Amino acid sequence: MSDLEDLYREIILDHYRSPRNSGELEPPAHKAEGFNPLCGDEIVVYLQLDDDNTIADIKIGGQGCSISQSSASMMSAAVKGKTVEQAQELMGSFKGLMSIADKGEELAEPTPAEIRELGDLAALRGVVKFPTRIKCATLAWNTLDQAISETQSAD
Amino acid sequence: MTTPDFAALKKDFPILQTERHGKPLVFLDSAASSQRPQQVLDAMDYAYTHAYANVHRGVYGLAEAATNAYESARLKVARFIGAPDSSEVIFTKNATESLNLVAGSWGRANLGPGDAVVLTMMEHHANIVPWQMIQAEKGFEIRWIPLGDDGKLDLTELDTLLDGAKLLSVASMSNVLGTINPLDQLIEAAHRAGALVCVDACQSVPHMETNVAEMGADFVAFSGHKMLGPSGIGVLWGRMELLEQMPPFLGGGGMISNVTTDGFMPDAVPSKFEAGTPPIVEAVGLGAAIDYLESIGMDAIRQHEIELTAYAMRALSERLGDSVTIHGPSEPSERGGVLSIDLEGVHAHDVSQILDSHGVAVRPGHHCAKPLMKELGVNATARASFYLYNDTSDADALVDALADAQSFFAP
């Protein structure tokens, strides 16, 4: 498989063409916007938590390249119904997959169990060979992180 | 004068002999930064190897040689842009710093509540943000000349927008649309309204004849790295009587005539605006770039780029039809060799990725012109830009790679 085919796996193109959880949520859902200043990608994450800190609903807006949009789509499918803590763990695994050490932690390759947990998202691992695209893949997650922080500070 | 052999120029540029992903490099990103010929590399290498010391004040021979090289680069720039006085040529880090100098020095000293600065909707962030920064401090108004049809400015309300304005700051050529703005008309209207004119000439100085005296502007900014010179050097040209009245921009060594514990006296123009060790060898490189450009001739370069742009626009539309949109003026002679491309169904970032696998280097994104992109209703385009070393084979490679990107992403 060429690097390019590895980058644009069929499952990524599928999420790009048919994004999951696309749309908006009305307040009191929390909203966060993320921008990739280099290429102009924009992601809007709408986040609805229920009383026990579970992600009851999530919607994705914005526009951008296939990597940023498919990553957002996959992320929304992966975190919906999970607790905030579980979503944050997934975020850690995903960033590990992208070779990003989070918050001063040592860089850790995700374990096979973590990769299984990532599901469709593991298809994005080909992005690592294209360093400029890592920001596209992580934009949705950083925006989700921002939305979660806002739910915590709003409490 | 005989027509230069543009096809032969490529061999002067070592980087254009290299390959990307096993394919010859097709470099179409000169609007962001150009490549440089061996002549420029050699001149800089020679300066570092044989003639380097800090400039000014040194009495030993090497310092004198470096100072002469630096100052003769200033003379070359002055001649190249038709500056009446070479002291009006200030070396900066890049055009962004040049524009920050105008905003930070002239703007801070001359703008306040009730004043207005006029910009256009097609400015690069470098000609927006410096004004917004001073606006936050000084509280003046910023007015915007809107975008009209065919990627050109809408000048129907020009006189109203300029009424009471102190400065118009405008790009000579859009880095996104390629539009060449009507400077004669803009400068005439601004001066009639009593406003000064600052021109961001980054995209035009490398590609066409520039004469600041004939242009009639008050400030002109451009970068060395877009015109075959090195990165790290830019130019601000300004009218001497304005430069003399302006306070210094950055403080430090080289820009003073005296310093005491109580304060300082600034040096004369241009030293007043060149604090610290300047880009010495970069100036030498810029001088060599000017020699190279002059050996070919700016009018010939302009003509070559018009022909290449026309060829590329025709080839794109023949091969890709309605699925490709090129922003900006439809008439090649009214634009520079900058093609901002929308390919239906494929995001600009993905376009650029596929093109890279073909060895074709174009730039995706908002090109540091977000207000314009919002106006165009796009969040990113893939921009291909031509320079003297590009030829029709590069345009063909672009079209082939775009067709491949389209079939790769076809549902």
Side-chain angles (χ1 to χ4, degrees), chain B residues 118-306:
Chain B
V118 180
L119 305 176
T120 85
M121 284 306 293
M122 62 171 78
E123 295 311 310
H124 187 282
H125 295 166
N127 196 24
I128 297 175
V129 179
W131 300 108
Q132 290 174 329
M133 287 167 68
I134 303 299
Q135 181 189 34
E137 218 178 284
K138 294 289 182 179
F140 55 90
E141 183 193 354
I142 295 179
R143 300 177 191 158
W144 301 86
I145 299 176
L147 199 62
D149 297 335
D150 203 31
K152 295 175 193 166
L153 293 174
D154 174 358
L155 299 179
T156 47
E157 298 297 321
L158 181 61
D159 289 337
T160 314
L161 286 164
L162 286 169
D163 187 30
K166 277 201 163 167
L167 180 95
L168 164 68
S169 196
V170 56
S172 52
M173 184 199 291
S174 163
N175 70 313
V176 176
L177 303 169
T179 314
I180 296 170
N181 284 320
L183 286 182
D184 285 351
Q185 185 186 352
L186 289 163
I187 291 169
E188 196 271 324
H191 284 169
R192 195 160 16 93
L196 296 178
V197 181
C198 175
V199 177
D200 171 3
C202 243
Q203 297 293 338
S204 65
V205 167
H207 301 280
M208 58 186 73
E209 176 91 36
T210 301
N211 186 305
V212 295
E214 283 173 16
M215 189 195 289
D218 301 284
F219 300 104
V220 176
F222 56 98
S223 285
H225 67 92
K226 285 183 168 66
M227 50 187 288
L228 312 182
S231 59
I233 188 162
V235 171
L236 175 68
W237 171 85
R239 279 201 296 116
M240 184 52 83
E241 58 266 41
L242 292 168
L243 296 174
E244 279 173 341
Q245 287 160 17
M246 283 157 55
F249 177 50
L250 299 174
M255 51 71 73
I256 50 87
S257 65
N258 192 27
V259 183
T260 67
T261 52
D262 293 328
F264 71 95
M265 284 284 295
D267 201 353
V269 177
S271 304
K272 178 164 78 171
F273 298 108
E274 294 184 357
T277 296
I280 302 165
V281 176
E282 287 76 5
V284 171
L286 178 57
I290 288 173
D291 289 341
Y292 188 90
L293 290 171
E294 286 182 332
S295 74
I296 293 153
M298 295 311 292
D299 288 340
I301 292 170
R302 173 71 185 135
Q303 196 51 42
H304 170 71
E305 290 178 16
I306 291 174

